[in-house]
Amino acid sequence: MLDIDDLTTEALCRYMLDRHRDTISVQKPEFALRKLNVIIAAALDLSNRKGFQAMSLRDLSRASGVSMGGLYAYFDSKTTLLNMILSEVTAAVQRVLSTPPDKVQGDPVAHLNWLIATHVQMTEQMQPWFTFAFMEAKNFPPAERRKAIDSEELTESYFAAVLKDGMAKGVFRPDTSPLLAALIKPLLQDWYVKRAKYRRRRVTIDTYIATVQDFVQAACLADQTHKDQRATA
Amino acid sequence: MLDIDDLTTEALCRYMLDRHRDTISVQKPEFALRKLNVIIAAALDLSNRKGFQAMSLRDLSRASGVSMGGLYAYFDSKTTLLNMILSEVTAAVQRVLSTPPDKVQGDPVAHLNWLIATHVQMTEQMQPWFTFAFMEAKNFPPAERRKAIDSEELTESYFAAVLKDGMAKGVFRPDTSPLLAALIKPLLQDWYVKRAKYRRRRVTIDTYIATVQDFVQAACLADQTHKDQRATA
DNA sequence: GTTTTTCGAGCGAGTGTTCGATATATAAGC
DNA sequence: GCTTATATATCGAACACTCGCTCGAAAAAC
């Protein structure tokens, strides 16, 4: 399940290092990767507890063990650090969701279930990253805000495409609401946004995925046999 | 529709003034109400654009026309200001959702539809307040965080109660997921969280309400005649 | 010996908060 | 009715502090 990509923080930092080779002044990749990993991990931890704005670079310096000046070898401003993290989340979503496995191609129901299951599982593996993106995407300069909106619409477009395909094939009801694709996203987000609540209630990730899949199918499926057709992804 | 209570900023400030009579040093209600109204309106406006933390009290002073010292006649710290706003949102939700009209009492489907419609309409009327509560409830001291969670669970409990009642009466399917009540909340939130998106797509509030009502009913209703039973609240 | 990496004190700007002074409204005295 | 006296309301400069960020020097690596 979901081994098409490595979504550990270290793997994501490798992408990050590659993407910002020009602004990162540390040359040797071995040094850079190890330190960037520590910095990003600390930044996600602190931000998700107090908020990105409330996290001072002195906090980050202390938590990561990297000096103030040392931090600026990896980003040229605090806003750049924000952008680096947000970009990586967007890129990961695109990478994972745009490549459905062969077995779901051409089967709208299976594809829809795969999208739901994969998205939830991805947010589970990248939990600090998604929490960060969700909490910090708002209240920020227009440029960053736009990126967040684009990322949001990208996810929605995957669902919209599958729903449209299913309706064309007669698998989904022709009167399926055009708003459905938009409404799936908040259902998926709730798993990591209200993480503590679901953990407290002992709701497993598989239960959650199955519930959302049923919920969505009840809204769009033509017949009522969806419970048998549910894929475990 | 939804005239059981006055949800204008002025009416909410009146409640606020009453609730914090001890910490607000301005005695004459006429003066206090007018100024508090200006301060809160400016605070909501600035916070929802840049975030509460990013809004300095000098910004607030400038925008409201009240001097620095003048602001402190209405709250003794910036955190208190935050709490005053959050409390008012929670109180309003409780006031409105806890008193369903007689006509929906005893009818789970009508009650469920009323809850959905009323909640969305309330968030529309109090839009800046809900946006504020949603964006700022996170990343804040434990005490404030708890209040936000309690408020969240309060809303959910109204839905849980109706679903339970409907299952007991055989109107809703007995295998309705216990997670459904939790999943309704993010669907309602999307209307004001992604406000710009829905406005851009020319989705009216009535369309949105109807879509969510259908979506939820498809998940829990025993038969398939829900489209005829939908209430316009 | 030269390049690369790391450090942390210091800078100016901006923060939440306080407080004595000023302006304004209400009450009292004659 | 006009002047005091008192209470209320408003102000904004000043305080102590933290912020993002810089930069010359020290340390490490080659």
Side-chain angles (χ1 to χ4, degrees):
Chain A
M1 54 138 87
L2 194 58
D3 48 6
I4 34 174
D5 212 335
D6 195 0
L7 300 180
T8 61
T9 297
E10 187 178 324
L12 293 166
C13 284
R14 220 188 317 270
Y15 282 111
M16 196 181 270
L17 197 57
D18 207 57
R19 210 185 303 273
H20 298 89
R21 201 177 290 280
D22 50 334
T23 51
I24 295 179
S25 72
V26 178
Q27 301 302 327
K28 300 192 76 176
E30 16 178 349
F31 286 175
L33 182 58
R34 198 179 59 240
K35 238 182 184 178
L36 184 62
N37 200 347
V38 172
I39 292 172
I40 297 299
L44 289 173
D45 183 49
L46 286 173
S47 284
N48 290 345
R49 269 213 288 271
K50 321 196 300 175
F52 182 76
Q53 304 220 46
M55 172 193 76
S56 76
L57 292 183
R58 281 168 183 81
D59 289 338
L60 182 55
S61 170
R62 202 177 312 115
S64 64
V66 178
S67 69
M68 287 296 296
L71 293 177
Y72 277 81
Y74 295 88
F75 47 80
D76 52 14
S77 80
K78 202 186 172 190
T79 304
T80 299
L81 172 62
L82 172 77
N83 274 318
M84 287 167 69
I85 299 177
L86 290 182
S87 315
E88 228 46 61
V89 176
T90 307
V93 170
Q94 176 141 27
R95 225 181 309 130
V96 172
L97 293 190
S98 66
T99 57
D102 294 344
K103 59 179 177 181
V104 308
Q105 301 262 22
D107 181 347
V109 176
H111 196 162
L112 178 61
N113 283 333
W114 176 84
L115 277 176
I116 293 171
T118 305
H119 194 284
V120 174
Q121 282 162 359
M122 178 169 53
T123 60
E124 179 75 0
Q125 287 194 29
M126 287 177 57
Q127 193 259 326
W129 298 75
F130 276 90
T131 302
F132 181 93
F134 178 81
M135 300 213 329
E136 310 302 339
K138 336 178 185 306
N139 45 356
F140 266 105
E144 286 72 28
R145 205 167 186 144
R146 261 241 72 81
K147 283 178 83 170
I149 293 173
D150 290 346
S151 173
E152 164 91 22
E153 309 230 319
L154 177 68
T155 307
E156 186 181 325
S157 70
Y158 292 122
F159 285 96
V162 169
L163 289 173
K164 186 181 171 190
D165 181 37
M167 284 168 68
K169 288 183 171 152
V171 183
F172 296 144
R173 291 207 310 271
D175 64 334
T176 299
S177 169
L179 283 180
L180 184 57
L183 291 180
I184 293 175
K185 189 76 191 292
L187 291 179
L188 301 176
Q189 284 180 331
D190 219 49
W191 175 250
Y192 60 91
V193 173
K194 313 271 175 60
R195 183 168 229 265
K197 182 173 81 173
Y198 290 114
R199 176 163 293 187
R200 179 155 30 86
R201 298 186 187 176
R202 309 211 189 293
V203 177
T204 67
I205 186 171
D206 291 329
T207 302
Y208 190 85
I209 290 172
T211 304
V212 174
Q213 287 174 338
D214 286 347
F215 197 7
V216 172
Q217 288 190 34
C220 66
L221 213 57
D223 56 26
Q224 284 294 77
T225 59
H226 61 276
K227 297 227 170 186
D228 303 324
Q229 294 183 17
R230 185 205 313 152
T232 50
Chain B
M1 54 140 88
L2 194 59
D3 49 5
I4 34 174
D5 213 336
D6 195 1
L7 300 179
T8 62
T9 297
E10 187 177 325
L12 293 166
C13 284
R14 219 188 318 269
Y15 282 112
M16 195 181 271
L17 198 57
D18 207 57
R19 210 184 302 275
H20 298 89
R21 199 178 292 281
D22 50 333
T23 52
I24 294 178
S25 73
V26 177
Q27 302 299 330
K28 300 190 76 176
E30 16 177 351
F31 287 176
L33 182 57
R34 198 179 59 240
K35 238 180 184 180
L36 185 62
N37 199 348
V38 172
I39 292 172
I40 296 299
L44 288 173
D45 184 48
L46 287 174
S47 285
N48 290 345
R49 268 214 289 271
K50 320 196 298 174
F52 182 76
Q53 304 221 46
M55 172 192 76
S56 76
L57 292 182
R58 280 166 184 81
D59 289 339
L60 182 56
S61 169
R62 202 176 313 116
S64 64
V66 177
S67 68
M68 289 297 296
L71 293 177
Y72 276 81
Y74 295 86
F75 47 80
D76 51 15
S77 79
K78 201 184 173 192
T79 305
T80 299
L81 171 62
L82 171 77
N83 274 319
M84 286 166 69
I85 300 177
L86 290 182
S87 315
E88 229 46 61
V89 176
T90 306
V93 170
Q94 176 143 29
R95 225 181 310 130
V96 172
L97 293 190
S98 66
T99 56
D102 294 343
K103 60 179 175 181
V104 308
Q105 301 262 22
D107 181 347
V109 175
H111 196 163
L112 178 61
N113 282 333
W114 176 84
L115 278 176
I116 292 171
T118 306
H119 194 284
V120 174
Q121 282 162 0
M122 178 169 53
T123 61
E124 179 76 358
Q125 286 195 29
M126 288 176 58
Q127 193 258 326
W129 298 74
F130 276 90
T131 301
F132 182 93
F134 178 81
M135 299 213 328
E136 309 302 339
K138 334 179 186 307
N139 46 350
F140 265 107
E144 286 73 26
R145 204 168 187 145
R146 259 242 72 80
K147 283 177 84 169
I149 293 174
D150 290 346
S151 173
E152 164 89 24
E153 309 229 318
L154 178 68
T155 308
E156 184 181 326
S157 71
Y158 291 123
F159 286 96
V162 169
L163 288 173
K164 187 181 169 188
D165 181 39
M167 285 170 68
K169 286 180 173 154
V171 183
F172 296 145
R173 291 208 308 272
D175 64 333
T176 299
S177 168
L179 284 180
L180 184 57
L183 291 180
I184 293 175
K185 189 74 191 292
L187 291 179
L188 302 176
Q189 284 179 332
D190 219 49
W191 174 252
Y192 60 90
V193 173
K194 314 270 173 61
R195 186 166 225 267
K197 182 173 81 174
Y198 290 114
R199 177 163 293 185
R200 179 155 29 88
R201 298 187 189 174
R202 309 211 191 289
V203 177
T204 67
I205 185 170
D206 291 329
T207 302
Y208 190 84
I209 291 173
T211 304
V212 174
Q213 286 174 338
D214 285 347
F215 196 7
V216 172
Q217 288 189 35
C220 65
L221 214 57
D223 56 25
Q224 284 293 78
T225 60
H226 61 274
K227 294 227 170 186
D228 302 324
Q229 294 183 16
R230 185 203 315 149
T232 50

